Amino acid sequence: MSDPDNTPTGGKQDWEGFREVDRAIAENRLTSYTWKKIWADPWERRGIYLFAALFLAFVVYVIIYDGLI
């Protein structure tokens, strides 16, 4: 018996925009692919820097406020 979920569709559509994502999923490297794409985008990179700076500022605030220094 064949599983209907595993059978290929009748029409052969080539999703060129998703070819690299499909390959990443097949090779189990989707996280690496996502981080590389995020790092390549200048706005996303600025977002990462902003998040890191805010997180670091929060950690410093908590350390100072609790009197750990």
Side-chain angles (χ1 to χ4, degrees), residues 6-49:
N6 291 335
T7 58
T9 58
K12 176 88 171 144
Q13 294 180 348
D14 189 16
W15 294 68
E16 292 182 22
F18 294 109
R19 184 178 297 148
E20 181 63 26
V21 175
D22 186 42
R23 187 175 300 140
I25 291 170
E27 295 175 4
N28 199 16
R29 59 177 177 88
L30 187 60
T31 304
S32 172
Y33 172 77
T34 304
W35 279 103
K36 286 179 184 179
K37 293 293 277 188
I38 288 172
W39 193 251
D41 184 22
W43 285 103
E44 294 283 342
R45 194 176 321 137
R46 289 181 188 133
I48 291 172
Y49 289 148

Side-chain angles (χ1 to χ4, degrees), residues 36-67:
K36 286 179 184 179
K37 293 293 277 188
I38 288 172
W39 193 251
D41 184 22
W43 285 103
E44 294 283 342
R45 194 176 321 137
R46 289 181 188 133
I48 291 172
Y49 289 148
L50 178 65
F51 176 77
L54 290 174
F55 182 74
L56 184 62
F58 176 74
V59 169
V60 169
Y61 170 77
V62 168
I63 289 173
I64 291 173
Y65 185 77
D66 284 344

